[in-house]
Amino acid sequence: MDAQSYNATLADLRTVRDNIKKTQTALAKLEAERDKRIAQLATHDKAKAERIAPAAGLSLAEVVARAPELAPQSLAADATPAPEPAEADQPAGAPHIEPRPHVPQPTAPPTGPTGETPQAPAAPAAPTAPVALATEEGEPRTLPSIPEGGTGDAWCAHMPGLASTRPSFTQQARSTVFLDTDIGVLVHRQQTHHLDLGSRSAADILTAVFHTIPEGVERIYITAGDPWHRDADRHPYLRDAVAAWLNAPTPGWRTDTGRGRDRMAGHFVHARNPVGRYQRESGDSHVEIRSVREWFDTDGDDPATIRDAFVLLWQALRRHWSDAVIMGSPSQTGRDLWTRTIPARGQHSDGYPVLSEELRGLLHATAGQGRNELLTPPRVPETLPQLVEYDRTFAYAKHTWKSPVGTPRRITGRQFAAWSDKEQARALYGCGHWHIRATVPDTWDHVGLLPAPAPSYRAWHYPATPGTTFTTWAGGPELHTALTNPLTPWKIEVLAGILWDDGKPLDDWAKKLKEAWSNLSAQAHFQQDPQQSRAAHLASRAVRAILLYGIGSFAQRPRMVTGTTPRTQERDVPPDAEIIGFDDDTITWQKPTGFSRDPNAHPEWAAAIWSGARAALLTQRHRADDTYAGALHAAPGTVIAFRTDALYLTQPQAWPYHQQPGDYLKKGHLAGPLAAPTSEEDLLTLRDVGRAALTPASTTAGA
């Protein structure tokens, strides 16, 4: 770019900036006008929030927040759920089901998803002594606790007739093609085709692919192009653009409603990795359009290389599972492979029972996932000498060797206090989930150790101010770390807990995946052919995704059902639905439907692994090297951020790295002085520059 072009583009950028400001001002005025009209409507003596919500394009809770006098007696306040990237099984006959996290409301019995027969469990009792932590950022968020007496004891049970069992059928493979919609290149088996994709609509893609492959395909992986974003500039949010693309007319096709053992049905709306499911109107063809980025990040890889990666992945899995089949997503594949490791005889051959809905709801509300925290000035210096990124390789695979099994036991605070020190230590080191009151030591000068509920929906933060006392829930690994950390033990009072027997339901599954990952990583390192080396690397990343998202799928969060209602029938929008979009003809909404009868729902396993991973970010022993790694082994004030499996520090560390799961890999290093990041965007920008600045010789391909 020459100087003239530079100055012209700079002038254009200023114009865009001014237009953005004008649009934001106009939007603020419209929102103020909307809220004013809601307030006017609320003065009517027969005004109802369920009538006003669809007219305003808001959820019931959002209308009530603006006009509290409209709150019905039974309304429980709830924040807007955040999108959940993992896909879950969906019942046949219930199109438009999208799994989204939802805070369980223990005061009412959950209902089954549309299309399933609702179960009739005993209605859970209201939780007692809700946990709250007041913060400067907003109102405290409450966490449920176990009710006293027999009601709470009844929570510690299993769902009758629902258990994870070994499948008695062979999973069927699907004919798959790989399509780059940017350049119209399609790879089918060993053949490459060039297609005219027209406008890149779903209809154009289906027409072109089935014209080229007349015998038909069942899965189309989009390797590049993101066609669902083609009209992104016409919609306020990416998710709206994706929904419009998925639901656009497809002559000769309709939304798939599922078939046979495959209960996946309807489109899956996700901002970046959506799934379109279509069925010929004649009913003789079913096909999915999916993003390959569900499996791994691509970097300009051509469809042939990605096809080779899936071939290598299948070969690696077949060495451990003779009936292994690659399914549509890593989570589906991981869960299917796990069911095939359930013992056919002996202990647990009758399966792993699913917890009661009440206990699953408690775990969903009180057990967070990865730690994501940015420390900003004055907790860290305003100017950093450098920024070093350490990422734990294949981290979750390190924490699958022990998991909860058996009937959970409820432990009261009085019971725990009556135990000996040895019994207490054994319980906290075992498989448990604990309701506690924690106090930060008066001399503490490092990062926080335990998650506490932050005001926003499903958010967590980590109190570190000396003398702070807070009440929360935490897993055994984190409590063990708080009590035995290398600096100063924290004061912990156990109020209640849930304790399981120690078992190994995931150990065989994880060992096989770790071996597949190790073999593929070695192929990527030693393979002389660049394309095959890259394919092996992508395949190793896919194995990582199978384990990572497989663990996430055990959490099986309560579901959101998405539906549409004609604008002319606005009154038919469910009263507890949230409006997520509308046009001249239809209103699109979503509503929570509670838990499905998923036989593979085990949030206790996911919670235990996540707790172990968060604890390992703080301290982790390397027995072979007789040393420790983690945030607590870096100097106070040098920890800048936690990001799921990664640490960002201002000083390099001599932590051992042997390319094993859980090892800390130095992944980025940016020399300073640098302004301390004050937002996630700032951190990610510095991360990317730091990764680019780190020489390839100082990293390891197996990460």
Side-chain angles (χ1 to χ4, degrees):
M1 176 180 283
D2 56 25
Q4 183 178 358
S5 299
Y6 176 82
N7 290 328
T9 303
L10 199 60
D12 291 340
L13 183 59
R14 295 190 186 101
T15 302
V16 172
R17 175 202 64 196
D18 294 340
N19 288 337
I20 289 174
K21 289 182 178 179
K22 291 177 183 178
T23 303
Q24 288 173 333
T25 301
L27 177 61
K29 289 181 179 179
L30 288 171
E31 289 177 336
E33 179 65 21
R34 177 198 61 196
D35 294 348
K36 178 182 177 182
R37 293 182 184 274
I38 290 174
Q40 290 174 343
L41 290 168
T43 62
H44 183 52
D45 58 357
K46 293 185 178 180
K48 293 184 178 181
E50 55 265 34
R51 288 288 307 280
I52 297 174
L58 297 173
S59 71
L60 200 62
E62 289 169 328
V63 169
V64 170
R66 288 160 174 79
E69 62 270 29
L70 295 175
Q73 298 263 333
S74 60
L75 181 64
D78 191 12
T80 303
E84 183 74 18
E87 182 182 0
D89 287 344
Q90 300 173 359
H96 307 301
I97 292 183
E98 179 181 348
R100 295 274 303 279
H102 171 65
V103 175
Q105 302 294 333
T107 57
T111 58
T114 304
E116 287 189 357
T117 304
Q119 302 303 310
T128 60
V131 187
L133 177 71
T135 68
E136 296 179 358
E137 292 83 359
E139 292 297 319
R141 178 166 64 96
T142 59
L143 298 179
S145 59
I146 305 175
E148 297 292 339
T151 301
D153 293 338
W155 284 26
C156 294
H158 293 119
M159 288 288 291
L162 192 63
S164 306
T165 56
R166 189 181 183 93
S168 58
F169 64 94
T170 300
Q171 197 67 253
Q172 297 300 308
R174 293 197 174 188
S175 174
T176 302
V177 297
F178 302 89
L179 175 63
D180 184 330
T181 60
D182 269 339
I183 58 177
V185 171
L186 176 81
V187 171
H188 177 230
R189 297 174 182 164
Q190 301 301 318
Q191 298 178 328
T192 300
H193 306 272
H194 294 270
L195 311 185
D196 179 2
L197 298 177
S199 65
R200 298 193 302 153
S201 66
D204 288 341
I205 290 173
L206 291 171
T207 298
V209 170
F210 277 78
H211 176 75
T212 305
I213 315 293
E215 64 270 26
V217 299
E218 295 177 279
R219 185 175 296 134
I220 302 170
Y221 276 124
I222 305 300
T223 64
D226 296 339
W228 35 80
H229 293 163
R230 62 177 187 149
D231 293 327
D233 56 344
R234 295 171 54 188
H235 297 271
Y237 302 104
L238 272 182
R239 195 171 178 276
D240 295 338
V242 170
W245 188 88
L246 290 170
N247 292 311
T250 49
W253 298 83
R254 57 182 171 84
T255 302
D256 200 347
T257 56
R259 65 200 189 281
R261 293 183 181 275
D262 187 352
R263 300 170 60 242
M264 305 299 284
H267 302 315
F268 175 71
V269 182
H270 185 269
R272 302 197 177 275
N273 296 319
V275 182
R277 300 188 178 94
Y278 302 93
Q279 178 181 356
R280 277 199 191 275
E281 291 181 349
S282 60
D284 60 349
S285 295
H286 301 256
V287 63
E288 293 179 330
I289 300 178
R290 312 184 71 110
S291 171
V292 81
R293 290 189 181 90
E294 292 181 84
W295 292 87
F296 41 67
D297 290 330
T298 58
D299 185 18
D301 298 295
D302 60 83
T305 300
I306 292 174
R307 182 268 323 274
D308 290 347
F310 275 87
V311 171
L312 291 173
L313 172 63
W314 178 78
Q315 291 173 343
L317 295 177
R318 278 281 172 142
R319 294 188 182 97
H320 302 284
W321 287 275
S322 60
D323 54 354
V325 168
I326 297 176
M327 302 181 71
S329 69
S331 61
Q332 291 173 275
T333 306
R335 191 161 50 176
D336 179 70
L337 292 176
W338 172 74
T339 61
R340 298 173 193 280
T341 64
I342 296 175
R345 58 181 63 87
Q347 189 179 20
H348 303 303
S349 60
D350 54 349
Y352 294 95
V354 173
L355 296 178
S356 69
E357 289 194 17
E358 295 86 353
L359 204 51
R360 279 183 283 156
L362 181 75
L363 286 166
H364 285 302
T366 60
Q369 192 172 348
R371 179 170 180 169
N372 289 284
E373 182 183 24
L374 176 64
L375 307 179
T376 56
R379 294 185 64 184
V380 298
E382 292 189 358
T383 302
L384 309 182
Q386 56 191 322
L387 187 67
V388 190
E389 177 190 7
Y390 288 93
D391 186 70
R392 295 186 67 226
T393 296
F394 205 10
Y396 286 178
K398 177 79 172 179
H399 306 286
T400 55
W401 63 277
K402 181 176 72 172
S403 301
V405 295
T407 302
R409 290 180 289 152
R410 176 190 177 195
I411 308 298
T412 66
R414 183 176 299 177
Q415 283 179 289
F416 187 87
W419 287 348
S420 66
D421 290 346
K422 184 176 181 180
E423 289 172 321
Q424 291 181 354
R426 185 185 303 115
L428 294 180
Y429 190 72
C431 294
H433 190 56
W434 301 94
H435 180 194
I436 61 165
R437 184 179 292 115
T439 301
V440 183
D442 292 336
T443 58
W444 191 256
D445 65 350
H446 219 298
V447 298
L449 303 187
L450 296 170
S456 59
Y457 176 79
R458 290 193 64 83
W460 301 88
H461 65 165
Y462 295 79
T465 304
T468 300
T469 295
F470 58 97
T471 307
T472 189
W473 286 82
E478 291 165 291
L479 288 188
H480 189 265
T481 298
L483 292 167
T484 63
N485 72 81
L487 303 178
T488 304
W490 282 32
K491 180 182 177 182
I492 304 294
E493 178 187 356
V494 173
L495 306 177
I498 310 159
L499 190 61
W500 288 266
D501 294 334
D502 295 352
K504 294 181 176 292
L506 304 177
D507 193 44
D508 185 33
W509 173 71
K511 282 180 178 177
K512 291 177 177 180
L513 289 176
K514 284 186 282 189
E515 187 172 336
W517 170 81
S518 180
N519 290 337
L520 288 166
S521 298
Q523 286 186 54
H525 182 72
F526 294 108
Q527 175 61 250
Q528 298 300 311
D529 183 290
Q531 178 173 327
Q532 288 301 303
S533 174
R534 177 63 179 171
H537 172 72
L538 293 177
S540 73
R541 300 297 292 175
V543 173
R544 175 185 177 276
I546 287 173
L547 185 135
L548 177 68
Y549 292 115
I551 290 169
S553 73
F554 288 126
Q556 194 256 323
R557 302 195 184 282
R559 302 190 179 200
M560 281 286 181
V561 169
T562 304
T564 57
T565 300
R567 290 291 293 267
T568 56
Q569 301 174 28
E570 197 169 284
R571 293 189 179 189
D572 293 338
V573 174
D576 57 343
E578 173 195 2
I579 307 301
I580 60 174
F582 50 84
D583 55 28
D584 293 338
D585 301 316
T586 59
I587 298 171
T588 303
W589 49 266
Q590 65 181 11
K591 59 174 290 187
T593 61
F595 294 99
S596 70
R597 282 186 60 82
D598 184 348
N600 296 319
H602 292 285
E604 69 276 19
W605 297 348
I609 291 169
W610 294 337
S611 177
R614 291 192 300 267
L617 280 177
L618 298 168
T619 180
Q620 173 178 278
R621 184 183 179 190
H622 291 258
R623 296 180 185 276
D625 301 277
D626 192 24
T627 189
Y628 290 84
L632 293 181
H633 303 281
T638 63
V639 179
I640 301 302
F642 298 85
R643 190 167 171 80
T644 308
D645 302 327
L647 281 176
Y648 296 83
L649 311 174
T650 61
Q651 294 178 359
Q653 304 293 323
W655 294 337
Y657 183 74
H658 303 300
Q659 303 183 45
Q660 294 300 310
D663 286 358
Y664 280 92
L665 169 67
K666 185 179 180 182
K667 208 167 185 177
H669 192 166
L670 185 60
L674 306 165
T678 57
S679 67
E680 183 183 29
E681 183 180 3
D682 291 344
L683 177 65
L684 296 181
T685 298
L686 293 175
R687 178 200 68 179
D688 293 342
V689 176
R691 288 181 178 181
L694 191 64
T695 58
S698 59
T699 62
T700 304

